Amino acid sequence: MPETPSRDDHSGAPADETATTGAPVSRRAARQAQQGASGYAPTGAPAPTRPQTTPRASVSSTAPIDALFEEKGLAAPSSSTKRHDRDRRKSRVAAWGVFVIILAILGGLTAGGFYVWNTYEDQIRAVMGWEEPKDFDAGLAEGEASVTIVSGQTGADISQTLFDAGVTKTSDAFYSYLIDSGEDPNVLKPGVYSLQQKMTSEAAFTALLDPANKQEYTAQLREGLTVAQSVPRIAEGIGLPIEDVEAAVKDPAAYGVKAQSLEGWLFPATYTFDPDVTATQVIQAMVDRTVTALDDAGVPADQRERILTVASIIEKEARYEDDFYKVSRVIENRLDPSISDTNGKLQMDSTAQYPFADREGGTSSRAEELEDDNPWNTYVNPGLPVTPIANPGELAIKAALEPAEGPWQYFVTVNLDTGETVFSATFAEHEKAVAQYQKWCRDNPDGGCS
């Protein structure tokens, strides 16, 4: 009979040892374990007994992360620390975002502020009481300034003149003073005045009224004045009796002028004389200045009167520099019998108006002026008027010598405010321009058309 193992082989061993150690503790258990592993049980020989080994402690892949750090002797970071770090990072990102938004808002406010300030600075200053003072502070006056007051200047004109000379702080300071104080600028006399720079408007007005500040023996003539208009300005500026000046201009030959009058020979400029100057000496100085201008322009001596006559018409008819040369060409084309559409008649309103003392120079001539048979009326008489009709300046003299090239025989100023002038080669073109002028006159009844 086969030998049956005694149960004494298991004495002292606990019944559940196999489950505890993982290795069989008897031959039967070993065979059963082998059969279970291979799926069959061999017969005839007992299964060998496997050597027992000490089991190793294994770490499961699902073991807590703390065990990984404990195995290396490290302390695992706590979940609360990680949350704190994440919160800190989120806080920093949020803070930067808020900072960027604030910068954007400030940038927008700054750009908008600049726009509003640049656009509405005057209004803002007025509302806030921050207006920049128009006038210098009292007591700042220093240095010297020469100011010329011309007859016919308005308060605004004088205000600009004072600003240009450095007398007042702003261009409208003096004008504002006149309005606020109710002072009349017409009480100021033409002349050249010695003032100071950085004056208040009130101080400047007082200084202009003081005869001690007026530079005596100074006369100023502008372009386009006639002899009749120049005489009182000369007398007033220099302080001479007007009768002496009227007598001085009566004899052109006394000054070497071979003409029937001194019209055109009193050169427009500012003159200063010694206190004991005579009227004759004053007129001689003005004639000499005209001769110098003619010589500088290269005008032959025998052409002086003709050039002055043409230049005087240009001076009265043209406003802008380019038009000076075009008007000169119209004059020459009308005087040229080979091309003239007007039979040699200039038909210039300035010449027709010249003999009439009440005419400073206008645009549309009155019927009596157009029909009057006097030697200056170029609507009646062909050719140039008998004398110049005003004192021309250097530009007009140059234009008389160098007329622009062009076929023009007509011109008309179509806008008296801007001085826009249309030049035409044919009468049909001219009629269209005249209609444009007439429309402007209808639209501007107070524009000075008559």
Side-chain angles (χ1 to χ4, degrees):
M1 291 177 66
E3 186 176 39
T4 302
S6 172
R7 287 188 178 274
D8 295 340
D9 293 339
H10 301 280
S11 60
D16 57 350
E17 185 176 355
T18 301
T20 304
T21 63
V25 296
S26 67
R27 288 186 181 90
R28 181 178 295 175
R31 284 195 300 270
Q32 290 174 347
Q34 185 175 6
Q35 291 172 358
S38 61
Y40 68 95
T43 59
T49 302
R50 293 180 181 179
Q52 296 184 17
T53 60
T54 303
R56 294 178 58 188
S58 61
V59 179
S60 172
S61 61
T62 59
I65 194 169
D66 302 44
L68 294 175
F69 286 91
E70 289 172 358
E71 184 180 359
K72 298 296 183 179
L74 301 172
S78 66
S79 60
S80 63
T81 301
K82 290 183 288 182
R83 286 195 302 271
H84 180 65
D85 291 342
R86 286 196 301 271
D87 291 343
R88 288 180 62 189
R89 286 194 297 272
K90 290 179 180 179
S91 297
R92 285 196 297 268
V93 172
W96 277 107
V98 172
F99 181 65
V100 171
I101 292 173
I102 292 174
L103 285 180
I105 294 173
L106 291 176
L109 290 174
T110 301
F114 276 121
Y115 170 78
V116 172
W117 179 260
N118 290 333
T119 306
Y120 303 104
E121 179 182 355
D122 293 340
Q123 294 90 327
I124 294 173
R125 286 185 178 278
V127 171
M128 302 301 293
W130 297 341
E131 292 112 323
E132 186 74 17
K134 290 184 177 182
D135 252 337
F136 288 116
D137 292 334
L140 291 181
E142 62 183 19
E144 295 182 357
S146 181
V147 176
T148 300
I149 304 299
V150 180
S151 178
Q153 279 187 316
T154 64
D157 295 334
I158 298 173
S159 185
Q160 184 67 49
T161 298
L162 291 170
F163 171 71
D164 292 341
V167 175
T168 52
K169 187 175 183 178
T170 58
S171 60
D172 61 342
F174 187 78
Y175 185 60
S176 296
Y177 166 75
L178 293 176
I179 294 176
D180 294 342
S181 64
E183 298 287 1
D184 183 3
N186 293 322
V187 302
L188 302 178
K189 302 298 183 182
V192 181
Y193 294 83
S194 296
L195 303 182
Q196 290 181 290
Q197 295 184 334
K198 298 183 178 180
M199 300 179 72
T200 65
S201 296
E202 181 179 6
F205 184 78
T206 301
L208 290 173
L209 289 175
D210 188 351
N213 292 320
K214 185 178 180 182
Q215 298 179 16
E216 297 292 346
Y217 321 115
T218 298
Q220 183 182 59
L221 301 182
R222 61 173 174 81
E223 292 86 348
L225 292 178
T226 64
V227 169
Q229 294 165 343
S230 300
V231 166
R233 287 170 171 79
I234 295 171
E236 184 178 20
I238 302 174
L240 293 169
I242 191 171
E243 295 80 9
D244 290 356
V245 181
E246 288 174 340
V249 299
K250 285 184 178 180
D251 185 10
Y255 310 101
V257 175
K258 298 178 180 180
Q260 67 181 62
S261 78
L262 286 178
E263 198 67 79
W265 286 87
L266 305 182
F267 193 80
T270 299
Y271 300 88
T272 301
F273 301 97
D274 294 331
D276 57 350
V277 69
T278 65
T280 300
Q281 291 172 330
V282 170
I283 301 304
Q284 184 67 66
M286 295 178 176
V287 172
D288 291 345
R289 180 67 182 82
T290 300
V291 172
T292 299
L294 293 169
D295 289 344
D296 290 345
V299 178
D302 61 348
Q303 292 293 308
R304 288 174 177 171
E305 184 72 4
R306 182 185 188 279
I307 292 299
L308 286 176
T309 302
V310 173
S312 68
I313 299 173
I314 296 171
E315 191 72 65
K316 299 291 286 187
E317 295 284 350
R319 183 183 297 189
Y320 299 111
E321 183 172 346
D322 288 346
D323 291 349
F324 273 62
Y325 296 91
K326 290 182 178 181
V327 171
S328 180
R329 172 50 61 190
V330 171
I331 292 173
E332 297 302 331
N333 286 346
R334 287 191 179 183
L335 292 176
D336 187 345
S338 65
I339 62 173
S340 177
D341 284 350
T342 59
N343 296 319
K345 294 179 181 179
L346 293 183
Q347 298 180 345
M348 300 287 177
D349 288 288
S350 57
T351 63
Q353 296 165 8
Y354 169 75
F356 295 83
D358 64 327
R359 298 287 278 188
E360 182 82 17
T363 52
S364 296
S365 297
R366 300 179 297 224
E368 61 176 310
E369 295 168 341
L370 297 176
E371 297 169 0
D372 190 78
D373 187 13
N374 62 72
W376 290 275
N377 189 353
T378 58
Y379 279 90
V380 176
N381 305 302
L384 293 172
V386 65
T387 70
I389 60 172
N391 50 352
E394 290 179 345
L395 175 60
I397 292 173
K398 183 179 180 181
L401 280 171
E402 304 171 4
E405 292 298 326
W408 314 293
Q409 292 204 49
Y410 306 91
F411 68 91
V412 60
T413 301
V414 297
N415 187 318
L416 300 189
D417 284 342
T418 64
E420 178 187 356
T421 301
V422 175
F423 291 80
S424 305
T426 67
F427 185 69
E429 294 173 351
H430 179 59
E431 282 188 313
K432 294 179 181 179
V434 170
Q436 186 177 348
Y437 161 69
Q438 291 171 341
K439 181 181 183 303
W440 188 93
C441 290
R442 289 194 298 272
D443 295 340
N444 299 270
D446 298 323
C449 294
S450 59

